[in-house]
Amino acid sequence: MSAARGGAVRTLRVTGRHGYAAEFSPYLPGRLACATAQHYGIAGCGTLLILDQNESGLRLFRSFDWNDGLFDVTWSENNEHILVTCSGDGSLQLWDTARATGPLQVYKEHTQEIIALLGLNLPSISTNRCFNFPSLTWRDQVQSLFSRRPLENRCHAPVYSVDWSQTRCEQLVVSGSWDQTIKLWDPTVGKSLCTFRGHESVIYSTIWSPHIPGCFASASGDQTLRIWDVKTTGVRTVVPAHQAEILSCDWCKYNENLLVTGAVDCSLRGWDLRNVRQPVFELLGHTYAIRRVKFSPFHASVLASCSYDFTVRFWNFSKPDPLLETVEHHTEFTCGLDLSLQSPTQVADCAWDETIKIYDPICLTMPA
């Protein structure tokens, strides 16, 4: 296990803000966006942090507050200043980093009572290592995190995932919500273009294909990975990918048919869309739920994952021993993860320990 010894770790601590998502700018080297929430995302507000790197570490360039926790963030693909976040009040927010205030626009359509959706009877909150009991089901562990009052008071389903399309012929945003729906947005229009239905549980992840225009993937608590086509507003492929809730998915940057899923069963699985009967690889090593997974933009068979076991792990699924490195430098759940588009060695992550880190893991600084 390492503490990111490949180079200096740049760290920013933001008191009272727990990290949920981190994403490097596709335009500006060293610029990072981080979506955060108060009180672990259970209650309180959220803050979008825009960070820049310099020789002395990380510098806060801009921050924007919102009245509910922010769970994900995505950069525009046609304007270096524009971002979209999503939050626990069922809305998406459009921000402009060139302005000190915001948001420019709010989109709010994800609406469904969460208690009716989840069917949970939730006990009092416990934030003291609620994941210490491997025998507990995921639902039991979630119940140990959330108190009854904040969820019952919500009238909108949280939006947990947002992503901006990566193909230049379209400028669209896709969002996934706990209301079991996916919505398609044109940021220049004040309402959604269409709604995709089919998942039978909470949607945790939505991600555009970097290869195929109008195609995106989603991952859900219903244990499926689904592939969608905006032209037909219907599902193209349903993959029963795990026998547990799937919290994250990502597309390979070098193969339009390859995706990876990360789930509550602690496993990562690779899927070839030409034949989804069996995974093409399975990666084991995490000890608790995998919160986020990202393919490398520089190496076809390298990916990274972060988990509620506090670690970030780096893998090469083409090797007999696929685990390249385990980084343990957080003291709470590690939720946000991204690999730089500008530097082949640079990684960013964020966690519930109120820290955001940018570093160069050893395995990415060494020749393949």
Side-chain angles (χ1 to χ4, degrees):
M1 221 171 254
S2 78
R5 295 189 303 270
V9 179
R10 297 174 173 88
T11 302
L12 181 71
R13 180 176 295 277
V14 185
T15 303
R17 294 294 183 271
H18 305 105
Y20 266 90
E23 186 164 308
F24 282 106
S25 166
Y27 290 98
L28 302 177
R31 178 157 290 185
L32 181 75
C34 185
T36 70
Q38 277 186 313
H39 307 303
Y40 307 94
I42 301 165
C45 69
T47 302
L48 170 63
L49 304 169
I50 309 299
L51 311 178
D52 285 332
Q53 299 180 66
N54 55 34
E55 294 181 358
S56 61
L58 289 178
R59 177 181 69 89
L60 181 62
F61 170 73
R62 193 87 78 196
S63 67
F64 301 98
D65 290 331
W66 185 244
N67 55 17
D68 211 315
L70 298 179
F71 296 142
D72 203 6
V73 60
T74 183
W75 288 92
S76 165
E77 292 289 335
N78 68 347
N79 187 322
E80 67 187 48
H81 301 294
I82 300 298
L83 308 91
V84 174
T85 53
C86 60
S87 69
D89 63 3
S91 71
L92 282 69
Q93 306 82 32
L94 183 74
W95 308 92
D96 184 349
T97 63
R99 303 187 181 191
T101 59
L104 297 179
Q105 196 161 356
V106 177
Y107 315 94
K108 195 166 188 176
E109 292 186 22
H110 286 287
T111 56
Q112 185 169 335
E113 196 62 56
I114 303 170
I115 290 296
L117 175 64
L118 295 181
L120 300 179
N121 292 315
L122 303 176
S124 298
I125 182 171
S126 170
T127 58
N128 185 18
R129 295 287 70 74
C130 61
F131 277 71
N132 283 342
F133 307 100
S135 62
L136 293 180
T137 67
W138 172 246
R139 290 294 182 187
D140 291 334
Q141 294 173 19
V142 170
Q143 288 175 22
S144 70
L145 267 178
F146 293 97
S147 65
R148 175 188 295 263
R149 182 186 56 79
L151 288 180
E152 286 184 338
N153 286 345
R154 294 186 189 273
C155 60
H156 299 278
V159 186
Y160 222 57
S161 177
V162 65
D163 193 39
W164 199 298
S165 59
Q166 299 178 39
T167 52
R168 297 299 179 186
C169 60
E170 60 193 10
Q171 293 299 323
L172 300 173
V173 171
V174 66
S175 62
S177 171
W178 285 24
D179 66 6
Q180 304 181 9
T181 71
I182 300 165
K183 290 185 180 288
L184 181 70
W185 310 83
D186 181 338
T188 64
V189 178
K191 61 181 181 180
S192 65
L193 302 180
C194 59
T195 300
F196 299 81
R197 293 180 172 86
H199 277 297
E200 299 174 0
S201 185
V202 171
I203 297 168
Y204 291 108
S205 180
T206 50
I207 184 80
W208 288 100
S209 167
H211 311 279
I212 308 167
C215 179
F216 65 89
S218 61
S220 168
D222 66 11
Q223 307 178 4
T224 67
L225 168 72
R226 299 185 186 225
I227 312 301
W228 308 81
D229 187 345
V230 301
K231 300 179 185 66
T232 62
T233 65
V235 65
R236 288 174 46 181
T237 306
V238 179
V239 184
H242 296 259
Q243 292 183 322
E245 291 190 291
I246 307 171
L247 304 187
S248 185
C249 62
D250 195 28
W251 293 83
C252 178
K253 310 302 187 288
Y254 293 86
N255 184 340
E256 68 179 37
N257 294 302
L258 182 62
L259 293 95
V260 64
T261 53
V264 169
D265 62 10
C266 308
S267 73
L268 295 155
R269 291 179 179 175
W271 302 97
D272 187 327
L273 296 181
R274 294 166 295 188
N275 183 354
V276 297
R277 285 178 293 182
Q278 295 290 333
V280 293
F281 64 80
E282 183 175 48
L283 305 174
L284 303 174
H286 281 294
T287 55
Y288 288 116
I290 295 168
R291 179 62 186 86
R292 203 173 296 266
V293 59
K294 291 286 184 78
F295 269 108
S296 167
F298 292 96
H299 306 281
S301 57
V302 172
L303 56 91
S305 57
C306 67
S307 167
Y308 292 146
D309 64 11
F310 309 168
T311 71
V312 179
R313 299 180 190 238
F314 297 87
W315 315 82
N316 186 332
F317 64 81
S318 69
K319 292 184 177 295
D321 185 6
L323 181 60
L324 301 177
E325 185 175 351
T326 300
V327 173
E328 186 172 27
H329 57 196
H330 286 290
T331 58
E332 289 283 356
F333 299 165
T334 309
C335 296
L337 175 67
D338 198 24
L339 283 72
S340 172
L341 296 171
Q342 312 285 345
S343 167
T345 65
Q346 200 164 78
V347 176
D349 61 42
C350 62
W352 281 13
D353 60 9
E354 305 177 343
T355 66
I356 305 160
K357 297 178 184 287
I358 296 180
Y359 55 99
D360 298 90
I362 296 170
C363 64
L364 298 185
T365 62
M366 299 172 61

